[in-house]
């Protein structure tokens, strides 16, 4: 057993060879479609770039050929092979764990490992190519299209957020009940991300938040949150705020586009509300799981807002609102209150419980924070080892070592996740007996799960 596996819990994990699993259909249907889209994106880049050298064109065609071969291997359930070295240190850990796998076929292997392996393998096709392709993001077009396609929701959310900032600045929202109501709304917006129907949320005005109708809307939206530890998190952050002892909050990001906007809104709220002195956003160093955030995605959103370049067909008042928001986040970054980091760990195959072993410096950084917020389904899967836990398993048990102190340090973990995989923990016994079959897979239900390993 590899040293970093020594603390893993003894639990069966989701496997693409299990016909009853969500991994089964993902490997056979979704992965080939992702590869086909990548092949098309490279072809589009080559045909749309007249200035591309012959060497780079040929290199692009070589990458296409590799992706085509990979797709064939996948569909034929070929045996996996070690990832070729490209000079990055993470590949050693991938290949070390590869040796330990009992199942090594594309359509019959641990889902979490194999999915991470696929994206890391694909990245070598680019890093081992010509410099033009080294930083090429084959998902950039789709990520940007998702933000452009969310125009109405984007403008509406920015307007509502500006209202909250103005109310806070004018000290209109100082009573605890209103502060708590705003916090609940911000959690819900960040939780549902790009699945959010803003019509189902309140306007974020102080008047509506305090109204009977506003409370009814919040209560209604909680029906599909099957694990909801919002109260515990509010208790923590409001206490730290009142004591004036708030420190850093870290957010492990998930998707680009509209969901990234909701995360920036949440970060701004935490800073302006006095719940954090600094917010650190953690993204990815490479194209990852189609829609995950990298630095260029963040720049595209903030600079696009600030310069008014994302939406051409909106009126001047709306464009001014977006410019103000873009400048607001730009100022936070320039002041050091908002920071983006992209550690290599987030694009490894490692479940997060291995952090104290494989990345002790990053673990200590997270342990120093008041709170670490993990967004989305992949982060949830990594937190829980993608294990086939009974649904009533305590969240802390599924976290493994991350629920414990190490050398006196512990991490406070909050997950905001809409369920799109099989793994799910923290429910009450029998809670899901009346839910529809496959209820964890389609984004209808959500979890706000919290564990305090500092206490």
């Amino acid at each position: 057993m590899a040293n970093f596996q020594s603390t893993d819990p003894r639990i069966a994990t989701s496997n693409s060879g299990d016909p009853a699993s969500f991994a089964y259909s993902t490997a056979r249907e979704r992965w080939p479609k992702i590869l086909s889209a990548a092949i098309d994106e490279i072809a589009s880049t080559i045909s749309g770039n007249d200035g591309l050298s012959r060497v780079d064109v040929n290199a692009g065609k070589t990458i296409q050929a590799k992706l085509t071969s990979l797709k064939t291997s996948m569909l034929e359930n070929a045996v996996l092979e070690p990832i070729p070295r490209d000079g990055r240190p993470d590949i050693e850990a991938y290949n070390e764990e590869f040796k330990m796998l009992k199942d090594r076929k594309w359509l019959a292997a641990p889902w979490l490992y194999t999915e991470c392996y696929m994206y890391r393998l694909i990245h070598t096709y680019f890093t081992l190519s010509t410099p033009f392709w080294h930083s090429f993001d084959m998902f950039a077009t789709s990520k940007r299209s998702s933000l452009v396609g969310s125009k109405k929701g984007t403008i509406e959310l920015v307007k509502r957020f500006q209202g909250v900032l103005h109310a806070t600045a004018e000290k209109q929202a100082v009573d605890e009940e209103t502060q708590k109501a705003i916090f609940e709304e911000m959690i819900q917006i960040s939780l549902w991300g790009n699945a959010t129907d803003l019509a189902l949320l309140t306007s974020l005005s102080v008047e509506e938040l305090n109204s009977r109708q506003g409370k009814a809307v919040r209560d209604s939206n909680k029906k599909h949150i099957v694990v909801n530890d919002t109260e515990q998190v509010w208790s923590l952050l409001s206490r730290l705020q009142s004591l004036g002892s708030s420190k850093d909050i870290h957010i492990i990001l998930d998707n680009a586009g509209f969901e990234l906007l909701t995360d920036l809104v949440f970060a701004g709220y935490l800073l302006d509300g006095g719940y954090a002195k600094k917010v650190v956003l953690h993204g990815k160093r490479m194209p990852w799981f189609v829609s995950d955030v990298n630095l260029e995605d963040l720049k595209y959103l903030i600079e696009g807002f600030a310069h008014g370049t994302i939406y051409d067909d909106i009126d001047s008042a709306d464009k001014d609102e977006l410019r103000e928001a873009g400048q607001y986040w730009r100022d936070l970054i320039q002041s050091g209150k908002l920071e983006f980091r992209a550690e290599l760990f987030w694009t490894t195959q490692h479940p997060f419980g291995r952090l104290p072993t494989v990345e002790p410096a990053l673990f200590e950084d997270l342990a120093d924070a008041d709170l670490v917020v993990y967004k989305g389904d992949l982060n949830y899967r990594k937190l829980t080892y993608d294990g086939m836990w009974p649904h009533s398993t305590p969240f802390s048990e599924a976290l493994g070592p991350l629920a414990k102190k190490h050398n006196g340090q512990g991490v406070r973990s909050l997950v905001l996740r809409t369920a799109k995989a099989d793994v799910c923990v923290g429910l009450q016994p029998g809670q899901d007996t009346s839910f529809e079959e496959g209820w964890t897979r389609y984004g209808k239900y959500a979890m706000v799960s919290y564990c305090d390993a500092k206490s």
Side-chain angles (χ1 to χ4, degrees), residues 6 104 129 161 176 224 230 241 303 307 333 381 388 395 399 428-429:
S6 61
R104 294 187 184 179
S129 185
F161 179 53
E176 185 172 352
H224 290 142
T230 302
Q241 181 210 42
E303 295 304 315
H307 294 291
I333 292 173
R381 289 170 59 199
M388 304 305 289
F395 181 51
L399 286 180
Q428 297 300 312

Side-chain angles (χ1 to χ4, degrees), residues 98-295:
F98 174 86
K99 298 174 186 176
M100 308 301 297
L101 294 179
K102 294 180 180 178
D103 301 319
R104 294 187 184 179
K105 288 191 173 183
W106 272 109
L107 303 182
W111 185 24
L112 181 60
Y113 175 89
T114 312
E115 199 160 22
C116 293
Y117 164 98
M118 178 183 75
Y119 287 100
R120 188 60 185 90
L121 174 64
I122 291 171
H123 192 54
T124 66
Y125 299 167
F126 295 90
T127 57
L128 294 173
S129 185
T130 60
F132 173 83
W133 296 104
H134 285 179
S135 59
F136 183 79
D137 186 351
M138 58 189 172
F139 306 126
T141 299
S142 63
K143 286 187 285 187
R144 294 178 180 184
S145 295
S146 73
L147 182 62
V148 173
S150 303
K151 176 175 62 177
K152 182 179 178 181
T154 294
I155 294 170
E156 182 65 23
L157 179 57
V158 167
K159 286 182 177 180
R160 296 184 186 194
F161 179 53
Q162 296 284 16
V164 169
L165 294 183
H166 294 155
T168 303
E170 295 168 10
K171 307 300 181 184
Q172 294 176 6
V174 293
D175 64 281
E176 185 172 352
E177 183 177 354
T178 303
Q179 289 183 31
K180 183 179 179 182
I182 294 176
F183 177 74
E184 289 179 351
E185 286 294 300
M186 290 296 174
I187 285 286
Q188 294 227 11
I189 289 171
S190 187
L191 170 65
W192 296 106
N194 54 16
T196 296
D197 180 353
L198 292 178
L200 299 179
L201 301 174
T202 69
S203 70
L204 292 179
S205 70
V206 174
E207 293 76 18
E208 185 171 348
L209 285 165
N210 285 331
S211 69
R212 181 179 300 178
Q213 180 183 4
K215 185 177 186 302
V217 170
R218 289 194 300 280
D219 289 343
S220 175
N221 289 334
K222 293 175 184 177
K223 291 179 180 178
H224 290 142
I225 303 177
V226 295
V227 179
N228 194 348
D229 294 334
T230 302
E231 191 74 33
Q232 296 179 48
V233 183
W234 169 248
S235 178
L236 166 71
L237 295 184
S238 61
R239 176 173 57 84
L240 294 176
Q241 181 210 42
S242 64
L243 294 173
S245 57
S246 299
K247 298 191 298 183
D248 296 357
I249 290 178
H250 293 237
I251 301 176
I252 317 303
L253 298 170
D254 187 24
N255 294 323
F258 186 80
E259 184 173 342
L260 175 58
L261 172 61
T262 68
D263 295 333
L264 288 171
V265 165
F266 189 44
Y269 158 76
L270 291 170
L271 290 166
D272 272 51
Y275 302 106
K277 288 186 177 179
K278 179 176 181 176
V279 173
V280 181
L281 306 174
H282 296 265
K284 307 301 192 297
R285 284 192 180 187
M286 64 187 73
W288 194 249
F289 280 68
V290 180
S291 55
D292 279 34
V293 179
N294 58 37
L295 180 59

